[in-house]
Amino acid sequence: MEREVQKAQKIVPVPTLHFSEGALAGRVVRLDRDVATLGRREDNAYVVPDPRVSRVHAEVRREASAVIITDLGSSAGTKVNGTTIEGPRVIRHGDKVSFGPVTATFEDPAAASQREDATMVFDVPKVETGPHLSPRQQQVLELMAEGMTNSEIGEELGVTERTVKAYAQELYDKLGVRNRAGAVAEAAKLGLL
């Protein structure tokens, strides 16, 4: 009996609006659609149940890595960082977005991680003596990053699963991590992928 092995799926972070004031404190709206409306009415994709928010207040559009917000003629207006928007406006990680008097913080995990990576490049001196990987360890690491199992990596490289496990343990030791997710994340930070 053959068992079908599935590759691990990549986790894609989703931008969110975090409300931290008033009755909506703690509410998080996941912006997981390409185009959708935001407002207090229940048929909006993003419902903000506050009477001061218009029934259909704004449109939220995701294009590539950008999130664009457009006011839809709401009675109280839409602001980004205190400025009333007129027409479409790209919002960035950390922006304060107000729908009338109701304010949320826009968080984009992808942008935040890029910003952290960029900060690390400038703040931390580059170490010339990082972990050196053998060509085979590099191959195993790259196939791990693609989501392949040890068995699939073994088939790809023409070695046994046990050999792949040995290479994986060597990678974990060199990178100072405990598992394959940690290895891939650390290797990406170090520019090995």
Side-chain angles (χ1 to χ4, degrees), residues 10 12 17 21 32 87 95 107 141 145 164 190:
K10 289 186 177 181
V12 179
L17 288 171
E21 302 169 4
D32 56 359
D95 281 351
E107 293 188 13
L141 179 63
V164 173
L190 295 171

Side-chain angles (χ1 to χ4, degrees), residues 3-189:
R3 191 172 56 127
E4 189 175 321
V5 178
Q6 294 182 355
K7 288 185 179 180
Q9 293 182 349
K10 289 186 177 181
I11 297 172
V12 179
V14 177
T16 55
L17 288 171
H18 289 259
F19 295 87
S20 58
E21 302 169 4
L24 296 176
R27 185 179 186 87
V28 176
V29 175
R30 292 172 41 89
L31 306 177
D32 56 359
R33 307 226 177 146
D34 290 339
V35 180
T37 56
L38 178 145
R40 74 171 187 259
R41 207 166 62 193
E42 291 295 321
D43 59 347
N44 289 292
Y46 309 123
V47 179
V48 181
D50 187 296
R52 299 169 296 174
V53 174
S54 293
R55 289 182 189 96
V56 181
H57 198 103
E59 177 188 80
V60 179
R61 177 182 299 271
R62 291 177 53 192
E63 292 182 12
S65 61
V67 176
I68 302 164
I69 195 155
T70 307
D71 186 83
L72 296 176
S74 66
S75 58
T78 302
K79 295 180 180 179
V80 176
N81 297 325
T83 303
T84 301
I85 63 170
E86 297 175 8
R89 170 79 182 266
V90 174
I91 53 177
R92 306 198 187 298
H93 179 73
D95 281 351
K96 300 290 185 198
V97 183
S98 300
F99 308 98
V102 179
T103 301
T105 302
F106 175 70
E107 293 188 13
D108 185 352
S113 67
Q114 288 173 356
R115 189 176 291 168
E116 288 169 11
D117 290 346
T119 302
M120 288 174 63
V121 170
F122 294 109
D123 290 347
V124 178
K126 198 162 191 162
V127 180
E128 298 294 327
T129 58
H132 175 73
L133 304 182
S134 71
R136 185 59 96 181
Q137 289 170 338
Q138 185 68 39
Q139 287 176 319
V140 170
L141 179 63
E142 289 170 2
L143 295 173
M144 279 181 177
E146 290 179 20
M148 295 178 108
T149 63
N150 288 344
S151 176
E152 291 170 327
I153 294 171
E155 284 181 35
E156 178 79 19
L157 300 178
V159 297
T160 65
E161 186 175 351
R162 185 175 179 177
T163 301
V164 173
K165 286 180 182 178
Y167 281 121
Q169 189 57 55
E170 291 170 4
L171 282 169
Y172 302 160
D173 293 343
K174 281 187 175 183
L175 296 172
V177 296
R178 299 168 82 170
N179 55 37
R180 71 174 42 217
V184 170
E186 187 65 22
K189 283 183 190 174

